[in-house]
Amino acid sequence: MARRILVLQGHPTPGGGHFGNALAEAYIRGAMAGGHEVREIVVTELEFPILRSKAEWEEGPVPLAIQGAQAAIAWAEHLVLIYPLWLGTLPALFKAFLEQALRPGFALDSRAGAFSKRLRGKSARIVVTMGMPALVYRWYFGAHSLKNLERNILAFCGIAPIRETIVGSVETMGRAKGRRWIERLERLGRGGG
């Protein structure tokens, strides 16, 4: 069954050329081959300010670039978030984007003390690249920042199910292993998951 898929490329370095960019391209290529409708947002290409207060987050004007991103998120049935692990978590630019895009009134709503999860019915896949081995991140560090993104951001807005793909040791991985990851992301895209 064809799906509407939005790929959110969260690498903060402009111009592409990183392994995460190659993974995003592979996923998109596979999704299009699988008959899915795909859009992509490259966060580093957007112009938006960092939110600096709760009042700004709740009531401040939504920048034009973020309005477009919100429209794309609303359109999508499945979100694919791709980013590198920096200092144990999301790069600051990608986190700032999520704070801008997933505001009250769009992603969630608070009425009478109860939160309404406004993105119900959407699913997600998180693809994280990192220099350390994935096993070390998962078992020694408990994949803490990934769990935070899943539970405290995406699920909090109603997104479920959320699947994850952790790609470790990217700086020391050989060509053959890199090709296998590219092929895996292409297969995931073809299946729309």
Side-chain angles (χ1 to χ4, degrees), residues 23 26-27 127 165 181-190:
L23 294 173
Y27 186 95
V127 180
T165 302
W181 275 113
I182 296 291
E183 290 166 3
R184 181 174 179 192
L185 265 288
E186 197 166 336
R187 282 193 306 274
L188 287 170
R190 195 172 296 112

Side-chain angles (χ1 to χ4, degrees), residues 15-151:
H18 297 278
F19 191 59
N21 300 110
L23 294 173
E25 290 165 10
Y27 186 95
I28 291 167
R29 189 170 50 249
M32 292 173 66
H36 305 287
E37 193 173 346
V38 185
R39 295 181 186 173
E40 180 183 26
I41 293 175
V42 179
V43 173
T44 191
E45 294 176 357
L46 303 178
E47 291 291 329
F48 59 89
I50 294 171
L51 292 170
R52 297 185 177 271
S53 71
K54 183 177 183 223
E56 273 187 81
W57 184 65
E58 291 177 337
E59 300 166 10
V62 179
L64 190 58
I66 299 299
Q67 290 175 29
Q70 288 177 334
I73 292 167
W75 165 86
E77 297 169 305
H78 184 64
L79 305 174
V80 180
L81 296 83
I82 302 176
Y83 64 92
L85 190 73
W86 278 19
L87 292 176
T89 192
L90 299 157
L93 181 66
F94 196 37
K95 176 71 166 48
F97 166 79
L98 293 175
E99 288 175 358
Q100 279 280 14
L102 303 179
R103 288 172 162 212
F106 172 73
L108 50 95
D109 209 356
S110 174
R111 295 197 179 108
F115 276 97
S116 168
K117 299 175 177 193
R118 300 185 74 186
L119 298 182
R120 286 181 200 262
K122 298 181 187 305
S123 60
R125 172 165 302 275
I126 302 168
V127 180
V128 184
T129 62
M130 62 191 64
M132 77 176 88
L135 188 64
V136 171
Y137 177 68
R138 193 178 289 283
W139 294 106
Y140 183 77
F141 291 104
H144 63 284
S145 64
L146 178 59
K147 301 268 184 246
N148 179 59
L149 175 59
E150 290 174 358
R151 181 184 55 239

